[in-house]
């Protein structure tokens, strides 16, 4: 290659006409964008946001009057992040919504590559079926429908049932890994005993010797509320995390890892008056308030919550929780994209 030398500096108009001629070849000068790309810390368009149950619930019930489950495929009000206009996303990686199924309704069978989780908020009598296993669902239960498992829902009770859905759909779309398939019939045959995964993998650390799941998701598909709450409340609170209080993870009982390969899920307790220390991490979080009354401060702004409220915390935002009650515990359910960040060596956490 010939050596390039500048005897005279280039004229500004020479540079700008050079730059203007690049776009037609789909070329661009990196030196103009490097500062925006290599930010010292993550920059997110996601905004902290609180969705209030008293605003969601009546609108979801109204949707139940106006739209049938059959017409909707799934009757859900999406929790749309105000910083991500036009996107179906609660954070940049996580989607969440509140689903309603009325007595007698069926939400037909399908499968897709996004992983889904559910936390039941209200109502008895609903069930989900995952790959031929019927799973009755009651308030507080945490239920998985992992990547590519056939699933449908029904309500055999007498009251509306509502739950929080959490999916890794924005991440799957970014990665262009979306596949979806409807089942040929509305419902799938029941090929396993009811709650089979609880019988096999949900009995307190006792696992079958003749089989051991090697799947990338938890083989336990339901974590029942009674056991989860009891596990949380039976722990002492002295040694708890300064940042999270007493916090338990819903883990894969075989590996001890996250219940789903892309999403980690947690239940945490804040004792009356407890205030956690501020921290931040390179994972985004969706919180659901299960019990109590408190407040989460995110980058200096306070979000006050009561049961049923949902809170989105963007990545790398400083946050701290406070239980504002003097006599009642607060319990938060949450899910995050931390497993993805850890797998890619992008996870960081910082105390402030
Ligand atoms: C889905 O399949 C369900 O099965 C709920 O209940 C919410 C949101 C986006 C894409 C698929 C369900 C969903 C979803």
């Amino acid at each position: 290659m010939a050596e390039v030398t500048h005897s005279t500096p280039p004229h500004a108009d020479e540079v700008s006409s050079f730059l203007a001629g690049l776009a037609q070849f789909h070329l661009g000068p990196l030196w103009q964008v490097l500062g925006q790309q290599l930010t010292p810390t993550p920059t997110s368009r996601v905004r902290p946001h609180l969705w209030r149950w008293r605003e969601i619930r009546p609108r979801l019930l109204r949707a139940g009057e106006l739209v049938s489950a059959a017409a909707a495929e799934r009757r859900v009000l999406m929790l749309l992040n105000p910083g991500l206009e036009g996107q179906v996303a609660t954070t940049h990686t996580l989607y969440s919504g509140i689903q309603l199924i009325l007595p007698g309704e069926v939400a037909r069978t399908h499968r897709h590559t996004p992983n889904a989780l559910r936390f039941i908020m209200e109502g008895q009598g609903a069930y989900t079926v995952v790959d031929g296993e019927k799973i009755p669902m009651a308030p507080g239960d945490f239920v998985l429908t992992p990547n590519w498992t056939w699933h449908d829902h029904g309500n055999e009770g007498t009251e509306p049932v509502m739950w929080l859905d959490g999916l890794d759909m924005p991440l799957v779309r970014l990665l262009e890994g979306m596949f979806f398939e409807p089942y040929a019939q509305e419902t799938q045959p029941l090929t396993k005993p009811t709650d089979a995964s609880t019988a096999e993998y949900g009995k307190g650390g006792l696992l079958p010797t003749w089989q051991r799941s090697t799947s990338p998701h938890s083989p336990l598909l339901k974590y029942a509320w009674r056991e989860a709450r009891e596990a949380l409340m039976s722990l002492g609170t002295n040694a708890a995390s300064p940042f999270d209080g007493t916090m338990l993870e819903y883990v894969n009982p075989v590996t001890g890892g996250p219940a789903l390969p892309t999403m980690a899920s947690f239940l945490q307790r804040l004792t009356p008056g407890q205030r956690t220390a501020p921290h931040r991490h390179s994972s985004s979080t969706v919180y659901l308030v299960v019990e109590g009354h408190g407040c989460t401060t995110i980058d200096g702004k306070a979000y006050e919550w009561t049961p049923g409220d949902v809170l989105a915390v963007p990545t790398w935002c400083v946050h701290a929780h406070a239980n504002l009650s003097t006599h009642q515990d607060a319990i938060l359910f949450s899910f995050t994209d931390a497993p993805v960040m850890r797998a890619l060596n992008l996870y960081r956490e910082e105390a402030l």
Side-chain angles (χ1 to χ4, degrees), residues 93 113-115 168-179:
T93 52
T113 47
N115 289 285
D168 52 11
M169 186 161 66
L171 176 69
V172 172
R173 290 191 58 92
L174 172 74
L175 298 173
E176 300 188 349
M178 182 64 75
F179 293 86

Side-chain angles (χ1 to χ4, degrees), residues 1-213:
M1 257 193 189
E3 202 179 314
V4 180
T5 54
H6 282 300
S7 41
T8 55
H11 288 294
D13 52 358
E14 215 180 340
V15 175
S16 55
S17 72
F18 162 74
L19 292 173
L22 290 175
Q24 62 177 307
F25 302 104
H26 305 286
L27 297 169
L30 176 64
W31 58 90
Q32 289 191 345
V33 300
L34 207 50
Q36 296 147 245
Q37 293 290 310
L38 297 176
T39 57
T41 55
T43 53
S44 186
R45 288 167 51 224
V46 180
R47 291 220 290 264
H49 192 77
L50 179 76
W51 290 266
R52 293 181 198 285
W53 184 233
R54 64 172 153 78
E55 292 168 357
I56 301 168
R57 190 178 182 279
R59 288 169 178 84
L60 188 56
L61 289 170
R62 182 70 179 135
E65 295 168 352
L66 297 174
V67 187
S68 71
E73 179 105 14
R74 297 293 188 264
R75 187 196 292 108
V76 178
L77 290 182
M78 304 182 287
L79 305 175
L80 298 174
N81 193 282
L84 300 176
E85 219 169 297
Q87 279 175 251
V88 175
T90 309
T91 75
H92 63 304
T93 52
L94 304 171
Y95 156 92
S96 194
I98 312 292
Q99 182 160 172
L100 166 66
I101 187 155
L102 293 170
E105 283 186 330
V106 163
R108 67 174 156 265
T109 314
H110 68 201
R111 63 178 175 180
H112 41 68
T113 47
N115 289 285
L117 58 83
R118 309 181 203 291
F119 192 95
I120 314 309
M121 297 175 70
E122 187 181 312
Q124 300 284 343
Y127 66 87
T128 191
V129 181
V130 181
D131 277 350
E133 173 184 338
K134 186 171 183 177
I135 305 173
M137 304 189 293
D141 289 354
F142 171 65
V143 179
L144 307 178
T145 55
N147 177 325
W148 211 239
T149 52
W150 292 111
H151 56 285
D152 51 272
H153 318 300
N155 183 347
E156 299 172 313
T158 56
E159 52 196 28
V161 176
M162 292 173 242
W163 62 72
L164 175 117
D165 290 315
L167 288 90
D168 52 11
M169 186 161 66
L171 176 69
V172 172
R173 290 191 58 92
L174 172 74
L175 298 173
E176 300 188 349
M178 182 64 75
F179 293 86
F180 170 82
E181 191 180 0
Y183 195 68
Q185 284 82 43
E186 186 175 55
T187 58
Q188 59 182 310
L190 303 181
T191 58
K192 296 171 188 165
T194 295
D195 277 333
S197 83
T198 298
E200 291 174 30
Y201 289 100
K203 298 299 172 186
L206 292 160
L207 301 179
T209 56
W210 64 92
Q211 62 175 30
R212 196 63 47 101
S213 166

